[in-house]
Structure formats: C-alpha cells, structure tokens
C-alpha cells in the first residue's frame, strides 16, 4: 500500500531509513488481518503469521513491543508451515525487496526458532522443483495433503 503513495524509490528509502517503524506498521496490519479473520468461517491461510514479526524484530536487533507480547505472544494457529528459501532466489531491489538470499535463509532459521519458542512444531515446506510454476503448485499440494 505504501508504494502507491510514495512510489518505488520512496518505498525503498522508507524501509531502509525507518526499518523498525516499518516493521511496526507491518505488525499492526497483520494484527488487523488476524482480528478480521476471526470473523470468517472455515480455514484461513496467512501469508505471514503474527509471530513472523517477532523473528524480523529479533533478527534485525529491535525490541519486540511489550503491547504485542502481552496480547499476541501466545499460541494462535492450528498449524504453521514455513517455506524454505528457493535456490532460485533472486534479489529484486527494483521491487523493494531489501534482503539477500543469505538474509532470507537466516530469517528462515529465525522463524523456525520463534515458532518453536511459541509452542509450535513448524512444518517445513521444502523446494520441490527448480521450475517456479511447478514448485508453487507442489508446495501448495504438500500443504493441502498435510491438512487432509
């Protein structure tokens, strides 16, 4: 959403110069989505769980907000799936992605650790194919088969 208002360069500069505040904005948005999803019927899949923010805060050396820990620092989900970094990971600074493949792999490890500390045994979803289109469908199939 921010990109629409400030453009690509403004977005990248904001993320780089206000990283902790950016993480807080993402956390608050994810909380709003989580709270909204409680009103929905059936299963809900999240691209980013609330505890993901804990991993980002921790990895980048920021203190996790106390208000978050009090309200959401508990077990919230039935299942947690964490996808490994793709071998074909492409750095895309033009899209606003600031992380490198190494940072992505480190964050993967941090995510696994944070979810374990929260009482989960995350299911790791590996790369199944070097072809992106195949890999997306195979990863989705893996998750759905696990849940059935």
């Amino acid at each position: 959403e921010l990109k629409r208002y400030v453009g690509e360069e403004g977005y990248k500069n904001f993320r780089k110069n206000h990283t902790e505040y950016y993480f807080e904005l993402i956390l608050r948005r994810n909380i709003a989505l989580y709270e909204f999803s409680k009103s929905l019927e059936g299963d809900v899949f999240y691209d980013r769980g609330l505890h993901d923010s804990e991993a980002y805060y921790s990895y980048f050396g920021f203190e996790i907000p106390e208000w978050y820990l009090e309200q959401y620092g508990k077990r919230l989900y039935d299942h947690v799936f964490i996808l490994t970094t793709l071998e074909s990971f492409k750095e895309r600074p033009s899209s606003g992605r600031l992380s490198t493949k190494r940072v992505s792999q480190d964050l993967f490890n941090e995510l696994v650790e944070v979810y374990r500390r929260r009482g989960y045994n995350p299911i790791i979803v590996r790369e199944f194919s070097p072809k992106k289109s195949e890999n997306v469908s195979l990863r989705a199939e893996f998750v759905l088969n696990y849940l059935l």
Side-chain angles (χ1 to χ4, degrees), residues 133-147:
S133 60
E134 275 182 20
N135 199 47
V136 170
S137 61
L138 290 170
R139 281 180 158 190
E141 184 179 329
F142 174 85
V143 169
L144 293 173
N145 285 337
Y146 182 92
L147 295 172

Side-chain angles (χ1 to χ4, degrees), residues 25-44:
L25 292 175
I26 296 298
L27 175 58
R28 288 184 183 279
R29 183 167 189 260
N30 286 343
I31 287 170
L33 290 170
Y34 174 77
E35 291 297 335
F36 171 76
S37 73
K38 291 196 290 187
S39 68
L40 301 174
E41 299 276 333
D43 295 327
V44 176

Side-chain angles (χ1 to χ4, degrees), residues 15-26:
R15 282 188 66 179
K16 188 181 260 184
N17 296 321
H18 306 283
T19 306
E20 187 173 12
Y21 182 60
Y22 176 77
F23 288 158
E24 184 177 340
L25 292 175
I26 296 298

Side-chain angles (χ1 to χ4, degrees), residues 51-68:
H51 304 311
D52 288 26
S53 291
E54 291 180 53
Y56 280 80
Y57 271 86
S58 176
Y59 180 79
F60 288 98
F62 300 122
E63 192 171 321
I64 299 164
E66 192 62 36
W67 59 263
Y68 162 79

Side-chain angles (χ1 to χ4, degrees), residues 10-118:
Y11 174 73
K12 289 190 292 187
N13 288 331
F14 180 82
R15 282 188 66 179
K16 188 181 260 184
N17 296 321
H18 306 283
T19 306
E20 187 173 12
Y21 182 60
Y22 176 77
F23 288 158
E24 184 177 340
L25 292 175
I26 296 298
L27 175 58
R28 288 184 183 279
R29 183 167 189 260
N30 286 343
I31 287 170
L33 290 170
Y34 174 77
E35 291 297 335
F36 171 76
S37 73
K38 291 196 290 187
S39 68
L40 301 174
E41 299 276 333
D43 295 327
V44 176
F45 290 83
Y46 300 93
D47 178 44
R48 290 276 177 213
L50 290 180
H51 304 311
D52 288 26
S53 291
E54 291 180 53
Y56 280 80
Y57 271 86
S58 176
Y59 180 79
F60 288 98
F62 300 122
E63 192 171 321
I64 299 164
E66 192 62 36
W67 59 263
Y68 162 79
L69 291 174
E70 289 170 6
Q71 197 167 2
Y72 297 99
K74 58 187 179 276
R75 190 177 169 95
L76 303 169
Y77 308 110
D78 295 328
H79 303 284
V80 172
F81 296 89
I82 302 178
L83 283 63
T84 59
T85 300
L86 298 174
E87 284 302 315
S88 63
F89 180 98
K90 290 187 178 36
E91 294 181 20
R92 299 186 321 245
S94 63
S95 72
R97 175 185 276 175
L98 301 177
S99 65
T100 63
K101 185 173 185 176
R102 177 78 252 154
V103 168
S104 177
Q105 291 167 329
D106 290 347
L107 280 167
F108 166 83
N109 293 328
E110 191 72 28
L111 286 163
V112 171
E113 183 58 33
V114 164
Y115 278 95
R116 285 186 176 147
R117 279 197 312 264
R118 291 284 169 233

